[in-house]
């Protein structure tokens, strides 16, 4: 009932969380509803499991950020972590990401350039970073937890008649420990709708190349992360409708890239040779969210048509 906006797998068991008008936990081995999570008083914007799978963090239009115990899915009582996060938020949180080592939680808003990083063990703020001036569109940690990358809108209207727009780059990459900026992508005033790391941490994708109608790829290695130019350009991927890309997702092994298009199609690309492998047709309308099963052999997709589709991959 209602559109699906986000999907997230619990990394330690066959549990799936879905959000939208309803916040639900599913048992994927039996494809049945496990539990309805009641607590938010408005639409849930974003969900994220902790890396150990013990907790689910959710943020919604009710200006609250909640943390749930997945073993006994009730709101964690008297949790200072949740209250600390709520006190620090001037805007709704639309993006949440745990660092893979579980030590940090990052969040940001579509309506703000501010990126927040908290200590996930006690909820204390660690970093406040300045992202694209027009607000965020995507936020992710690198798999080794050393980098944080965001994409967004690189322009914002101001009240200054001499310069009616404030401009910034479309995407930024920082060192998590220090907050040092290691890369800014896209020309000033440009925009990007997504940024993503492969799960092996060797590849980063961003659609920040303006009118080139491609998904740009960069190679990232540990030896390059502290260098002045940490990203090496790779051949790009060119989907059938670059302007209509609604979501992208690397497979767990990093060899596949799922690209969801606005017309409901999902393209599966090979990242080693940038070749189109499969075209998945089934959704009627925009695909909002995708998730690979941890073994990489199944792709789940949810969209405006209310369908949760399971795709078997070779």
């Amino acid at each position: 009932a209602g559109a699906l906006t986000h999907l997230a797998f619990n990394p330690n068991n066959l549990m799936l969380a879905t959000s939208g008008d309803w916040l639900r936990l599913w048992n994927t081995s039996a494809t049945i509803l496990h539990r309805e999570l009641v607590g938010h008083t408005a639409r849930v914007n974003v969900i994220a499991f902790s890396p150990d799978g013990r907790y689910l963090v959710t943020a919604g239009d009710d200006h609250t950020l909640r943390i749930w115990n997945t073993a006994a899915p009730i709101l964690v009582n008297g949790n200072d972590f949740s209250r600390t996060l709520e006190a620090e938020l001037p805007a709704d949180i639309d993006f949440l990401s745990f660092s893979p080592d579980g030590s940090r939680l990052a969040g940001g808003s579509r309506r703000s350039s501010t990126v927040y990083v908290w200590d996930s063990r006690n909820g204390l703020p660690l970093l406040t970073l300045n992202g694209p001036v027009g607000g965020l569109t995507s936020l992710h940690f690198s798999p080794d937890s050393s980098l944080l990358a965001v994409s967004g809108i690189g322009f914002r209207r101001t009240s200054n008649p001499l310069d009616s727009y404030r401009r910034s780059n479309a995407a930024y990459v920082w060192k998590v420990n220090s907050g040092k900026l290691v890369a800014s992508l896209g020309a000033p005033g440009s925009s990007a709708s997504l940024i993503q790391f492969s799960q092996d941490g060797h590849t980063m994708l961003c659609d920040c190349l303006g009118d080139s109608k491609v998904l740009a790829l960069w190679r990232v290695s540990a030896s390059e992360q502290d260098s002045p130019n940490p990203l090496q350009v790779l051949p790009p991927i060119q989907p059938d409708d670059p302007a209509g890309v609604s979501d992208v997702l690397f497979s767990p092994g990093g060899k596949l890239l799922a690209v969801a298009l606005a017309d409901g199609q999902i393209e599966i690309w090979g990242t080693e040779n940038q070749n189109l492998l499969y075209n998945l047709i089934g959704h009627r309308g925009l695909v909002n969210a995708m998730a690979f099963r941890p073994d990489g052999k199944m792709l789940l997709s949810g969209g405006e048509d209310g369908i949760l589709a399971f795709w078997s991959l070779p």
Side-chain angles (χ1 to χ4, degrees), residues 50-52 81 97-106 117-124 126 141 144-146 176-177:
S50 60
D52 61 9
F81 180 35
S97 179
F98 276 98
S99 61
D101 65 7
S103 66
R104 290 169 172 80
L105 176 70
V117 181
W118 298 276
D119 188 321
S120 62
R121 294 159 293 192
N122 55 30
L124 296 177
L126 295 175
F141 283 96
D144 65 0
S145 302
S146 68
V176 172
N177 288 338

Side-chain angles (χ1 to χ4, degrees), residues 98 108 111 127 139 245 284:
F98 276 98
R111 292 161 292 282
L127 294 172
L139 176 152
V245 173
R284 300 183 299 273

Side-chain angles (χ1 to χ4, degrees), residues 36-37 54 63 113 119 128 145 168 181 193 214 243 253-254 266 278 302:
E36 195 95 41
L37 302 183
R54 295 177 58 193
H63 300 275
S113 63
D119 188 321
T128 301
S145 302
S168 72
L181 181 67
S193 60
V214 299
I266 300 173
Y278 315 110

Side-chain angles (χ1 to χ4, degrees), residues 7-18 24-35 49 291-295 298-301 308-310:
L7 303 172
F9 266 109
N10 185 316
N12 282 348
N13 57 40
L14 296 177
M15 186 179 291
L16 174 75
T18 62
R24 290 169 170 168
L25 288 177
W26 302 83
N27 182 330
T28 59
S29 63
T31 323
I32 59 174
L33 180 65
H34 175 66
R35 189 70 62 91
F49 278 107
F292 276 101
R293 199 169 66 183
D295 62 7
M298 182 176 288
L299 176 70
L300 277 69
S301 58
L308 179 59
F310 292 68

Side-chain angles (χ1 to χ4, degrees), residues 171-223:
Y172 295 90
V173 183
W174 296 278
K175 290 287 289 184
V176 172
N177 288 338
S178 63
K180 176 185 176 182
L181 181 67
V182 297
S184 55
L185 307 172
S190 63
S191 298
S193 60
L194 50 91
I195 198 165
Q196 185 73 257
F197 287 98
S198 63
Q199 292 195 18
D200 61 9
H202 294 160
T203 308
M204 192 185 78
L205 176 149
C206 184
D207 61 341
C208 57
L209 296 186
D211 296 328
S212 59
K213 299 184 182 301
V214 299
L215 300 177
L217 295 176
W218 288 268
R219 178 69 66 186
V220 182
S221 69
S223 62

Side-chain angles (χ1 to χ4, degrees), residues 109 111-115 129-136 156 166 174:
S109 171
R111 292 161 292 282
S112 171
S113 63
T114 305
V115 180
L129 306 168
N130 292 319
V133 294
L136 305 187
R156 179 171 62 85
R166 183 183 174 193
W174 296 278

